[in-house]
Amino acid sequence: MLLVAACTTAALASYGQSDSTRTETADTIRVGNMTIIKKKDGSTAKVDSNGTTTVRWSTGKKKPKRVTTNWMTFDFGFSNFTDNTNYGSAAARAYARPAVGAPAFSGSDFNLRNGKSVNVNLWIVRQRAGITKNRVLNVSYGLMLELNNYRFDTDLKTSYVKGSDPHVFRDSKTFEKNKLALDYVTVPVMIGIDTKPNGGGFSLSAGVSAGYLYSSRNKQVSNEAGKQKIKGNFDLQPWKFQYVGEIGLGPIVLYGSYAPKSMYKSGLDHAPYNIGLRFGDWDQL
């Protein structure tokens, strides 16, 4: 017993001489012929009592997990599209047909209210797995509901209809609200870097996603007809493939997505994109 106490005292004295700036007090626990010294900061050391004294201090810091999981996080941003439609083509005139004697459709018939055209992504689950041991280089993937609302200018008469061409016509009603809502089940996969995997650092990720269109509708509010909801596929592409990315500094994460192909099968060439902020991400929870 005197030998263990002497060894422990010698180890602590030796440790104090090697680093005179440390003032923490330590607790000791004896396990067999080994004495464990634990400091207030959570670090520990083992002292042999077999005639030779060895002290090895561990940092006490928690290592980052190789795989981290987030449930039910969300994004909020804005939806829009680039319009590359040739409105003079036969396909465009068949899809968006004006009344007899009325001017042909143009890009101005699909002008959006940018501040009202919103994107909300509801993440069911997200995971990030470290490619390197320190998780600085990682791969992330997940499953989310991607909700896009394209809100048209209220002075436009653009309306969608179910069935064959035309899918779009100019209505006679005056709209207080007129939007095209498209909802997808989406699976993104990204490769990224994170300078501080435990949170608070700079992060950058890029990759691709695949989304399946499970709901599409034209929602309108007018004095003439009140609230209306026209459901249909409107000859939209059932799948959406996008380039996706995010850039963050600590808890502030900016995301973006861009689909190079039109969201319509034919007629209109509208390539959609989203941009916004990501909330409740990773270790900032």
Side-chain angles (χ1 to χ4, degrees), residues 68-272:
T68 54
T69 304
N70 283 81
W71 299 90
M72 302 306 294
T73 57
F74 74 100
D75 305 336
F76 181 82
F78 300 95
S79 293
N80 213 314
F81 54 80
T82 58
D83 190 352
N84 303 308
T85 306
N86 177 6
Y87 286 96
S89 67
R93 291 197 303 268
Y95 190 94
R97 188 180 303 164
V100 177
F105 272 83
S106 67
S108 61
D109 288 286
F110 298 92
N111 284 345
L112 299 180
R113 297 183 66 185
N114 294 327
K116 296 287 187 178
S117 299
V118 299
N119 162 237
V120 177
N121 299 324
L122 304 175
W123 289 87
I124 299 170
V125 62
R126 293 192 75 199
Q127 279 195 327
R128 178 175 289 170
I131 297 175
T132 55
K133 287 185 178 181
N134 59 6
R135 219 182 67 189
V136 170
L137 183 63
N138 58 73
V139 57
S140 60
Y141 44 86
L143 177 67
M144 72 179 186
L145 302 181
E146 180 188 344
L147 314 178
N148 303 281
N149 295 277
Y150 302 99
R151 187 86 169 262
F152 299 115
D153 283 343
T154 52
D155 58 345
L156 300 181
K157 302 290 187 178
T158 304
S159 287
Y160 287 75
V161 293
K162 291 180 64 174
S164 58
D165 292 338
H167 291 283
V168 173
F169 70 101
R170 287 196 183 97
D171 212 319
S172 59
K173 296 187 285 292
T174 301
F175 296 116
E176 297 177 15
K177 180 180 179 180
N178 186 12
K179 74 174 183 179
L180 177 66
L182 307 181
D183 302 335
Y184 298 83
V185 177
T186 301
V187 176
V189 178
M190 292 185 286
I191 300 292
I193 58 171
D194 193 344
T195 59
K196 292 185 179 180
N198 279 339
F202 171 79
S203 61
L204 178 66
S205 298
V208 295
S209 73
Y212 178 75
L213 180 67
Y214 69 88
S215 178
S216 53
R217 58 212 176 273
N218 184 199
K219 295 182 70 174
Q220 300 173 331
V221 178
S222 65
N223 291 329
E224 295 87 342
K227 294 182 179 180
Q228 286 184 305
K229 185 187 294 184
I230 302 97
K231 296 183 178 181
N233 62 19
F234 311 131
D235 204 34
L236 291 156
Q237 295 279 6
W239 292 94
K240 180 167 70 168
F241 298 95
Q242 304 176 102
Y243 299 114
V244 293
E246 61 182 49
I247 184 170
L249 184 61
I252 303 173
V253 179
L254 180 70
Y255 75 90
S257 65
Y258 173 70
K261 292 187 64 176
S262 175
M263 56 190 179
Y264 298 94
K265 292 180 181 178
S266 62
L268 303 181
D269 188 356
H270 292 174

Side-chain angles (χ1 to χ4, degrees), residues 1-8 30-36 46-54:
M1 191 69 179
L2 292 174
L3 178 60
V4 173
C7 291
T8 302
R30 182 181 177 187
V31 180
N33 67 341
M34 184 74 65
T35 300
I36 300 174
K46 295 179 181 179
V47 182
D48 297 332
S49 58
N50 57 2
T52 59
T53 301
T54 304

